[in-house]
């Protein structure tokens, strides 16, 4: 089995990572923020510790993940995590961050110059070879563009610089150039960090419950364990659709985010729902993803997109839209692919639990993530965003160039609750997408869960893979 749960004293493969944080509070309920800088939503470490790990009587029954491993909730505190991290890991350097930005821009501009000047009939006479080389170009530019996206995401978490103004200006410019609404996504992403793994409040890749999955198939709940398995081609089709339109669908319709907008405390969630026409998106200041105080930031995000779109329109008219499709828009699709793949695999794995609010806390949610390995591409070109995601959910303000050391420091604290899947590097990362899509179709309580354990959910599937769905009597 490729997935490992590292224990204290075991081997510690090197790793590192990132993702964004804002000072905005959750619109549902307040949960811990991990930023070291003062903010309206920050909480003291002592109160975090008490909030996260308030003693509860252990009445869970037998909890089993999709692989058949027995599970127990984490028993350490956020203070234990932070105390284990060397203090210098929290230090941020805008100068070092700008050097990485410069490096990525050099990669982008050099690649463009080489292909623009030399992938021409004068040097490459065969049209099919030229086409293949341009395909390579789009792939490379997608990777380099994702690298810039990741640094902008660091800015959103305050991990780029000690100055919030520097973080926001840098992140706004970088994300806008990649058609990402910087502040809008920063705010919703902060809420994801504050509610990771919470079935009612998480903001991304919230899995369907057994009831929701049965309804989607037009079946009864008890029938899921009896249905024929999905064809592999069907799984691949779903994955391709997810990778092509998953990111824009999330921005426009909040696809994969929670759908409990009625709980928005200002009342703007009433009658709002995910999907087309539901009023939940990342562009409208009235969206239930935000609060009234966020309106100016949402407008500023939209302004960034308007400016970027205007520049692209000018370039398309000047150089031709077919050229712009190859130079910018196909690499843009590659960037979207990497964002969706990375996020999907950070939060979807047969070992990972999800929680109803009754049993969720910040420590448990942050542990419901997994580190993966993407080789040179992940560690160098993508600034380690794949490799240290678990740390990132505990302390997202640590810059990516310090994340390897910080990850090494927290693994002994997490013990058996630390999860990683590092087998076969980049190709293992790609294979994990298919495996997770086949094995992780919905979540439900373990068959032998009792009491509070029924609020802790695990992935199941109708493909006969791993732990079987619970047998439910027909009613």
């Amino acid at each position: 089995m490729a997935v490992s749960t590292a224990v204290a004293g075991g081997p510690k493969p090197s790793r590192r990572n990132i993702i964004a944080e804002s000072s905005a509070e959750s619109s549902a309920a307040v949960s811990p923020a991990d930023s070291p800088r003062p903010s309206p939503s920050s909480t003291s470490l002592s109160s975090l510790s008490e909030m996260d790990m308030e003693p509860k009587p252990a009445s869970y029954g037998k909890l089993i993940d999709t692989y058949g491993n027995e599970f127990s909730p984490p028993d350490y505190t956020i203070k234990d995590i932070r105390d284990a991290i060397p203090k210098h890991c929290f230090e941020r350097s805008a100068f070092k961050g700008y050097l990485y930005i410069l490096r990525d821009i050099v990669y982008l501009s050099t690649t463009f110059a080489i292909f623009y000047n030399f992938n021409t009939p004068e040097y490459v006479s065969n049209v099919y070879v030229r086409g293949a080389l341009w395909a390579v170009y789009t792939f490379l530019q997608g990777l380099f563009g994702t690298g810039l996206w990741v640094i902008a995401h660091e800015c959103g978490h305050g991990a780029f610089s000690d100055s919030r103004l520097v973080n926001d200006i840098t992140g706004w410019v970088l994300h806008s150039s990649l058609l990402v609404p910087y502040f809008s996504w920063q705010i919703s992403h902060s809420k994801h960090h504050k509610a990771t793994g919470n079935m009612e409040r998480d903001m991304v890749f919230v899995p369907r419950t057994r009831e929701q999955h049965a309804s989607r198939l037009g079946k009864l709940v008890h029938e899921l364990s009896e249905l024929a398995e999905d064809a592999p081609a069907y799984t691949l089709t779903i994955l391709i659709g997810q990778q092509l339109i998953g990111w824009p669908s999330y921005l426009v319709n909040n696809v994969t985010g929670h759908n409990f907008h009625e709980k928005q405390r200002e009342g703007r969630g009433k009658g709002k729902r995910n999907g087309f026409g539901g009023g939940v998106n990342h562009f409208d200041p009235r969206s239930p993803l935000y609060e009234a105080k966020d309106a100016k930031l949402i407008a500023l995000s939209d302004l960034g997109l308007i400016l970027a779109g205007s520049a692209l329109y000018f370039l398309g008219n000047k150089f031709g839209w077919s050229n712009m499709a190859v130079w910018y828009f196909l690499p843009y699709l590659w960037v979207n692919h990497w964002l969706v793949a990375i996020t999907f695999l950070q939060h979807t794995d047969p070992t990972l639990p999800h929680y109803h609010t009754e049993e969720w806390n910040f420590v448990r949610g942050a542990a419901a993530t997994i580190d993966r390995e993407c080789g040179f591409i992940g560690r160098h070109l993508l600034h380690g965003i794949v490799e240290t995601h678990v740390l990132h959910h505990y302390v997202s303000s640590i810059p990516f160039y310090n994340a390897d050391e910080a990850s090494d420091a927290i693994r002994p604290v997490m013990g058996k609750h630390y999860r990683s899947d590092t087998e076969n590097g980049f190709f293992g990362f790609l294979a994990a997408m298919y495996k997770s899509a086949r094995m992780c179709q919905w979540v439900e309580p373990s068959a032998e869960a009792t009491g509070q354990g029924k609020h802790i959910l695990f992935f199941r599937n109708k493909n006969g893979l791993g732990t079987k769905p619970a047998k439910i009597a027909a009613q």
Side-chain angles (χ1 to χ4, degrees), residues 244-321:
L244 280 175
I245 64 172
W247 173 243
S249 295
Y250 176 66
L251 293 179
V252 173
N253 302 312
N254 200 44
V255 170
T256 80
H258 79 75
N259 209 11
F260 292 86
H261 306 294
E262 295 280 346
K263 297 181 179 181
Q264 208 276 356
R265 62 187 177 191
E266 293 182 339
R268 61 173 60 198
K270 292 182 179 179
K272 302 292 181 67
R273 56 177 174 76
N274 298 342
F276 283 109
V280 185
N281 62 73
H282 283 74
F283 309 103
D284 188 346
R286 299 167 298 177
S287 171
L289 301 178
Y290 311 113
E291 298 166 16
K293 64 183 177 63
D294 301 321
K296 291 181 180 179
L297 295 177
I298 309 308
L300 190 55
S301 299
D302 293 344
L303 175 62
L305 297 184
I306 292 170
L307 293 174
S310 299
L312 290 172
Y313 180 77
F314 169 79
L315 293 172
N317 286 337
K318 182 175 179 61
F319 296 103
W321 288 100

Side-chain angles (χ1 to χ4, degrees), residues 85-138:
I85 300 172
K87 296 297 183 284
H88 64 265
C89 290
F90 294 90
E91 296 175 2
R92 298 160 287 188
S93 168
F95 177 74
K96 185 180 290 188
Y98 281 124
L99 288 179
Y100 279 105
I101 291 175
L102 177 62
R103 187 201 74 178
D104 290 346
I105 291 175
V106 168
Y107 287 166
L108 284 162
S109 57
T110 301
T111 301
F112 178 81
I114 290 172
F115 279 81
Y116 179 80
N117 289 299
F118 297 105
N119 191 25
T120 64
E122 180 182 358
Y123 293 96
V124 183
S125 59
N126 189 296
V127 64
Y128 298 107
V129 174
R130 289 202 306 276
L133 289 173
W134 279 117
V136 171
Y137 164 90
T138 66

Side-chain angles (χ1 to χ4, degrees), residues 67-80:
Y67 283 132
N69 301 314
E70 192 160 355
F71 175 86
S72 60
D75 54 0
Y76 50 86
T77 69
I78 186 64
K79 186 176 187 301
D80 294 333

